[in-house]
């Protein structure tokens, strides 16, 4: 007999080798796909946090704008005598709304009557699922009634599992109505036996923030002891101006949007700050710090952070000291304003100062403003994030709140005899995350947050044993039809587009940074130098070397052609009067300009006078130290006033300068 192996043995060996090769190929392919997914999500998250930093860095300027443009005598519809502080703070009675806003017979949407019933709530769900809109008459009624009930609630609400089998905790929804409806489909609507805690950030980013609020407020009015609505960091006036909720309400309820928006900010100010279940589980939106004091939070007046001295306020505005109330002491100058605008500001300032002098002494009818300690306590619970390292340090990624470590969690658990901290506020790919040895749980209920297929949403079922069970979901049917490569490709493409737009908006700064490494003027630099220049300007903490093939081209010598960063993008510039430097500035500060316009645009007409726009622009650029020639901006503004009536459509102005991706341009040609 020979010693050679049989033919079946050799075939088995080849099959095994083939299987090993296929397995290696599959693992390598999946690793590359996972790498692409991770850096795409890192891009989205870094840009999101950088945007929040910009918002907070400009909070002083926005505070100035709020102080001079949002006196309640111009924005509040809920006062028949705006100069009377006692009247300004009160809601119109429902009967007064009924007299002011009629519901025509042609309206076929839900008709609400108070007190609400489960049938009313179900009718709202059915209407919104079918893209119907609730009449403003009922929206205002609902908000007034919600405000009335919220005022009776404590800063920290308490729930008990002894009254129901489970309590469901939901995280950020961010205007995604499909996620809320899917949660109700899978888990049932709120009831006495089906209790819910919603942990803030109901609004912004998504298209149906108002519908989510209306549904949740309706169920809250029906079951006030069985549904808890915590406040998030996006339930805030300035955040809403920047991230879309203000624009959503203005577009949906043009005639009554001012009334609705003002009333909403008042409602937001009365949302509880936290919920505690069975005295063991603390639920709040952001997190804690080493100075968080639950007893202090229980005792403060949570609503004073929105309306103070007849002006709309934001949590992003730190309290002013007695000696620092005036805008000159805040580093904002009004010397660049026109006589008309400056006189209006001076009049408002004089009235504001006189109100201070006449009301600040003892016996004043106006409440005292928030203290620094009150402001910090609330900011920490709404903005903070956990981290794996011990200690507590400022949250530089977001620009507000802090990073808190396991030792900070252990300290507050020991002090208040807690078992679990449930928070939201932070994107999680699987919809939830567990940290600090199982003591801190992050729950995020907005699926497809950055892009279709970018993440799942989740909610928590908490049983009487306080053992959390996670339920994941994803509301998009389109995503399910795509394979994993197509899903990741969609996410990656969207992330890179956002990054390329940010790169182009910083074009001048980046070219200057590249030039410092390009001593011979070749237009090419090494990969490490290119990565260092990108990070020095954009400060996104991204893996630039890994991203280089997607952003810039290499020459045959292995050097980066740094100008190729801008090849795939251009600014659509239909107006020849716009200088390149000015276009870049308008592009970079587009969101900030939109906030300023929304503050000024009290009547929601979409129009702004040329004089007011030019003077506000000068004030804005002066505050930021931007060197832009005034005459070039004036020429640009005049060119957009097509009918020469002294006003421009601000939205059209912004749309005149938008990015065009060359790949898309070729595809559409």
């Amino acid at each position: 007999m020979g010693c050679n192996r049989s033919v079946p043995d050799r075939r088995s060996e080849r099959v095994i080798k083939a299987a090993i090769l296929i397995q290696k190929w599959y693992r390598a392919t999946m690793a590359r796909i996972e790498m692409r997914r991770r850096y795409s999500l890192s891009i989205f998250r870094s840009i999101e946090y950088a945007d929040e930093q910009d918002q907070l860095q400009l909070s002083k300027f926005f505070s100035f704008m709020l102080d001079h443009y949002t006196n309640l005598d111009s924005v509040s519809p809920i006062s028949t005598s705006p100069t009377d502080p006692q009247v300004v703070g009160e809601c119109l009675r429902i009967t007064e709304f009924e007299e002011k806003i009629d519901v025509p017979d042609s309206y076929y949407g839900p008709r609400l009557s108070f007190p609400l019933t489960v049938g009313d709530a179900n009718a709202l769900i059915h209407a919104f699922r079918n893209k119907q809109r609730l009449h403003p008459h009922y929206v205002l009624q609902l908000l007034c009634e919600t405000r009335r009930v919220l005022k009776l609630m404590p800063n920290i609400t308490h729930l008990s599992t002894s009254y129901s089998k489970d309590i469901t905790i939901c995280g950020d929804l961010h205007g995604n109505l499909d996620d809320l409806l899917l949660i109700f489909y899978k888990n049932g609507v709120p009831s006495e036996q089906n209790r819910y805690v919603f942990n803030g950030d109901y609004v912004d980013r998504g298209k149906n923030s108002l519908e989510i609020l209306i549904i949740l407020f309706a169920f809250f009015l029906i079951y006030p002891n069985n549904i808890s609505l915590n406040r998030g960091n996006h339930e805030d006036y300035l955040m809403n101006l920047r991230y879309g909720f203000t624009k959503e309400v203005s577009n949906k309820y043009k005639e009554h949007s001012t009334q609705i928006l003002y009333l909403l900010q008042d409602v937001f100010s009365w949302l509880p700050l936290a919920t505690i279940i069975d005295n063991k589980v603390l639920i709040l939106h952001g997190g804690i710090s080493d100075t968080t004091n639950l007893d202090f939070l229980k005792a403060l007046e949570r609503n004073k952070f929105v309306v103070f001295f007849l002006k709309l306020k934001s949590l992003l505005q730190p309290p002013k000291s007695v000696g620092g109330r005036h805008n000159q002491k805040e580093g904002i100058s009004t010397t660049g304003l026109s006589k008309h605008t400056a006189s209006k500001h001076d009049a408002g300032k004089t009235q504001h100062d006189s109100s201070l002098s006449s009301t600040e002494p003892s016996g004043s009818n106006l409440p005292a403003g928030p203290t620094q300690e009150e402001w910090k306590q609330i900011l920490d619970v709404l903005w903070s994030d956990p981290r794996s390292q011990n200690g507590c340090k400022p949250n530089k990624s977001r620009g507000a709140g802090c990073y808190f470590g396991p030792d900070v969690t252990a300290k507050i658990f020991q002090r208040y005899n807690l078992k679990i901290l449930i928070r939201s506020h932070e994107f999680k790919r699987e919809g939830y995350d567990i940290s600090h040895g199982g003591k801190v749980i992050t729950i995020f209920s907005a699926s497809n947050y950055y892009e279709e297929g970018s993440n799942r949403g989740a909610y928590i079922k908490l049983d009487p044993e306080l053992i959390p069970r996670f339920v994941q979901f994803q509301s998009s049917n389109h995503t399910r039809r795509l394979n994993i490569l197509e899903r990741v490709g969609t996410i990656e493409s969207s992330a890179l587009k956002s990054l390329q737009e940010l790169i182009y908006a910083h074009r001048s700064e980046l070219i200057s940074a590249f030039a410092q490494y390009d001593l011979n003027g070749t237009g090419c630099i090494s990969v490490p130098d290119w990565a260092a220049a990108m990070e020095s300007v954009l400060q996104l903490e991204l893996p630039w070397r890994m991203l280089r093939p997607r952003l810039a081209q290499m020459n045959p010598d292995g050097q980066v052609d740094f100008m190729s960063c801008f090849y795939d993008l251009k600014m659509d510039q239909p107006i020849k009067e716009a200088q390149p430097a000015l276009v870049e500035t308008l592009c970079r500060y587009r969101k900030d300009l939109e906030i300023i316009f929304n503050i000024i645009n009290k009547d929601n007409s979409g129009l702004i006078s040329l004089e007011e726009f030019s003077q506000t622009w000068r004030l804005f650029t002066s505050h930021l130290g931007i060197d832009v020639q005034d005459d070039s901006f004036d020429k640009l503004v005049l060119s957009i006033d097509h009918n020469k009536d002294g006003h421009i459509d601000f939205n059209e102005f912004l749309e005149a300068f938008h990015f065009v991706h060359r790949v898309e341009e070729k595809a559409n040609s």
Side-chain angles (χ1 to χ4, degrees):
M1 293 177 60
C3 62
N4 292 336
R5 287 174 295 175
S6 65
V7 173
D9 288 340
R10 288 197 297 272
R11 286 178 178 173
S12 295
E13 185 178 338
R14 286 198 298 270
V15 169
I16 292 172
K17 286 183 178 180
I20 292 173
L21 286 174
I22 292 172
Q23 190 178 58
K24 286 183 177 179
W25 171 85
Y26 176 78
R27 288 177 176 173
T29 301
M30 293 305 296
R32 286 192 294 270
I33 291 174
E34 182 62 21
M35 178 188 70
R36 291 169 58 194
R37 188 206 302 269
R38 288 190 180 187
Y39 74 58
S40 298
L41 296 180
S42 294
I43 290 171
F44 280 127
R45 185 167 54 248
S46 295
I47 292 176
E48 178 185 4
Y49 287 2
D51 196 47
E52 289 179 348
Q53 286 184 43
D54 291 343
Q55 168 90 350
L56 289 159
Q57 288 169 2
L58 284 167
S59 61
K60 185 179 290 187
F61 179 79
F62 293 141
S63 297
F64 169 80
M65 296 298 296
L66 289 173
D67 284 345
H68 289 82
Y69 280 102
T70 59
N71 285 358
L72 297 191
D73 58 356
S74 61
V75 301
S76 173
I78 57 175
S79 169
T80 55
S81 177
T83 57
D84 184 353
Q86 293 179 347
V87 177
V88 170
E90 293 301 323
C91 237
L92 268 180
R93 293 182 182 138
I94 292 176
T95 53
E96 294 179 20
F97 280 122
E98 291 173 344
E99 293 175 1
K100 290 195 171 188
I101 306 175
D102 293 326
V103 181
D105 294 336
S106 58
Y107 171 71
Y108 290 102
R111 293 178 178 267
L112 305 182
S113 59
F114 295 84
L116 295 179
T117 65
V118 176
D120 292 321
N122 289 332
L124 289 170
I125 291 175
H126 177 77
F128 295 153
R129 185 181 283 120
N130 291 284
K131 313 300 181 184
Q132 289 182 313
R133 197 166 291 166
L134 185 64
H135 193 278
H137 171 91
Y138 299 117
V139 174
L140 290 167
Q141 275 189 317
L142 181 72
L143 293 178
C144 261
E145 190 66 13
T146 302
R147 177 186 182 273
R148 182 187 67 80
V149 178
L150 281 174
K151 288 178 67 175
L152 305 175
M153 306 296 290
N155 292 347
I156 299 178
T157 57
H158 286 260
L159 293 177
S160 173
T161 56
S162 62
Y163 295 103
S164 61
K165 293 181 179 179
D166 296 315
I167 295 179
T168 303
I169 300 105
C170 300
D172 301 36
L173 288 167
H174 280 302
N176 195 337
L177 180 62
D178 288 342
D179 286 327
L180 179 63
L181 297 182
L182 184 56
I183 291 170
F184 285 168
Y185 174 79
K186 294 170 71 72
N187 193 64
V189 298
S191 68
E192 292 180 353
Q193 292 75 37
N194 193 22
R195 312 176 97 188
Y196 276 87
V197 177
F198 290 91
N199 203 23
D201 276 14
Y202 316 101
V203 302
D204 285 331
R205 304 189 189 280
K207 298 179 180 179
N208 298 109
S209 298
L210 187 57
E211 285 80 2
I212 286 176
L213 287 177
I214 289 171
I215 291 172
L216 294 182
F217 288 163
F219 278 113
F220 171 72
L221 292 177
I222 298 167
Y223 303 110
N225 297 319
N226 299 287
I227 178 171
S228 182
L229 302 175
N230 288 345
R231 184 175 185 176
N233 67 306
H234 274 263
E235 279 69 62
D236 180 89
Y237 183 55
L238 278 181
M239 297 295 283
N240 298 159
L241 283 170
R242 189 180 191 92
Y243 293 105
F245 182 50
T246 297
K247 191 172 184 178
E248 177 192 330
V249 176
S250 298
N251 289 337
K252 290 178 178 178
Y253 293 96
K254 298 183 186 300
E255 184 179 352
H256 302 287
S257 61
T258 302
Q259 296 95 318
I260 292 172
L261 284 167
Y262 174 78
L263 197 49
L264 275 165
Q265 296 307 319
D266 203 14
V267 170
F268 288 166
S269 75
W270 288 103
L271 290 172
L273 302 174
T275 300
I276 296 179
I277 297 177
D278 292 349
N279 295 317
K280 292 292 184 181
V281 180
L282 174 63
I283 306 171
L284 40 74
H285 181 72
I288 56 176
S289 72
D290 53 1
T291 60
T292 296
N293 186 325
L294 298 184
D295 297 322
F296 186 89
L297 286 169
K298 288 178 182 178
L300 60 77
E301 297 177 52
R302 65 184 185 272
N303 66 303
K304 71 165 83 170
F305 290 87
V306 169
V307 181
F308 174 54
F309 284 112
L310 310 188
K311 295 179 183 294
L312 283 173
K313 292 292 178 183
S314 163
L315 278 173
L316 302 181
Q317 297 172 257
K320 300 174 184 177
S321 61
V322 175
R325 293 188 188 277
H326 306 308
N327 51 295
Q328 289 90 341
K329 295 184 181 182
E330 295 172 12
I332 305 290
S333 171
T334 59
T335 55
L337 296 173
S338 66
K339 290 182 180 179
H340 168 71
T341 309
S343 64
K344 181 169 64 174
H345 286 177
D346 291 340
K349 178 179 178 299
T350 303
Q351 182 181 3
H352 179 53
D353 292 344
S354 64
S355 69
L356 286 175
S357 61
S358 64
T359 59
E360 281 183 356
S362 59
S364 166
N365 291 325
L366 288 175
T371 65
Q372 188 76 22
E373 177 64 17
E374 290 173 328
W375 176 72
K376 184 182 183 304
Q377 288 280 331
I378 292 184
L379 208 65
D380 283 345
V381 300
L382 296 185
W383 279 87
S384 297
D385 293 310
R387 65 170 187 164
S388 57
Q389 298 84 6
N390 281 334
C392 184
K393 70 173 187 177
N395 192 333
K396 293 182 179 179
S397 296
R398 293 186 186 270
C402 69
Y403 284 119
F404 62 97
D407 58 329
V408 178
T409 300
K411 179 181 175 183
I412 200 168
F413 275 34
Q414 182 178 11
R415 181 176 180 181
Y416 296 104
N417 195 25
L418 298 172
K419 182 179 178 181
I420 304 173
L421 168 62
I422 298 177
R423 41 92 60 180
S424 302
H425 187 47
E426 201 173 2
F427 167 89
K428 295 299 176 184
R429 194 176 115 192
E430 296 300 323
Y432 71 94
D433 183 66
I434 302 173
S435 57
H436 294 187
K439 294 180 179 179
V440 175
I441 298 173
T442 299
I443 191 70
F444 194 81
S445 300
S447 67
N448 308 302
Y449 179 61
Y450 290 128
E451 182 58 63
E452 287 283 341
S454 63
N455 67 288
R456 297 178 182 178
Y459 56 87
I460 297 173
K461 299 285 289 182
L462 199 65
D463 63 21
E465 300 298 322
L466 301 182
I467 298 174
R469 179 169 62 90
F470 302 97
V471 181
Q472 296 172 292
F473 60 88
Q474 199 158 17
S475 61
S476 174
N477 291 323
H478 172 71
T479 304
R480 296 186 189 129
R481 293 194 293 268
L482 302 177
N483 61 44
I484 186 170
L485 193 60
E486 292 171 328
R487 288 200 300 269
V488 173
T490 301
I491 298 167
E492 181 187 38
S493 176
S494 180
L496 289 172
K497 283 181 182 179
S498 298
L499 182 57
Q500 287 169 341
E501 291 177 5
L502 189 64
I503 289 171
Y504 199 95
H506 291 78
R507 189 173 188 271
S508 299
E509 290 178 70
L510 283 169
I511 291 175
S512 297
F514 294 145
Q516 294 179 10
Y517 295 100
D518 184 24
L519 302 179
N520 298 321
T522 63
C524 296
I525 57 178
S526 68
V527 173
D529 289 344
W530 176 84
M534 294 291 283
E535 182 59 31
S536 68
V537 173
L538 300 179
Q539 298 182 7
L540 295 176
E541 298 182 358
L542 290 173
W544 293 110
R545 296 192 189 194
M546 183 185 297
L547 290 170
R548 198 279 315 157
R550 313 292 293 175
L551 299 174
Q553 300 173 5
M554 298 273 283
N555 68 9
D557 297 327
Q559 298 284 94
V560 180
D561 176 4
F562 55 76
M563 290 303 294
S564 64
C565 294
F566 314 109
Y567 287 171
D568 292 334
L569 203 67
K570 72 173 185 177
M571 280 295 300
D572 190 16
Q573 188 176 328
I575 302 168
K576 62 182 180 180
E577 289 81 358
Q579 300 298 318
L582 178 58
V583 171
E584 184 178 321
T585 303
L586 289 169
C587 165
R588 185 183 308 182
Y589 297 104
R590 179 191 181 102
K591 287 185 178 179
D592 303 309
L593 290 171
E594 192 167 2
I595 293 175
I596 295 168
F597 171 71
N598 284 328
I599 293 174
I600 297 173
N601 183 34
K602 298 175 185 178
D603 60 357
N604 294 310
S605 65
L607 300 175
I608 184 172
S609 71
L610 299 183
E611 181 185 22
E612 198 165 34
F613 187 28
S614 296
Q615 301 299 344
T616 304
W617 168 258
R618 290 188 176 92
L619 187 66
F620 179 67
T621 54
S622 173
H623 176 67
L624 291 177
I626 303 171
D627 185 16
V628 178
Q629 295 180 353
D630 289 340
D631 57 344
S632 63
F633 185 79
D634 290 340
K635 290 178 181 177
L636 172 63
V637 172
L638 287 171
S639 69
I640 298 177
D641 182 17
H642 301 298
N643 59 1
K644 306 303 177 186
D645 65 347
H647 291 79
I648 63 171
D649 185 315
F650 188 75
N651 291 317
E652 287 185 7
F653 174 80
L654 287 182
E655 286 301 318
F657 305 94
H658 64 275
F659 290 109
V660 176
H661 294 266
R662 296 184 190 274
V663 175
E664 294 178 354
E665 187 179 45
K666 291 178 182 178
N668 295 330
S669 61

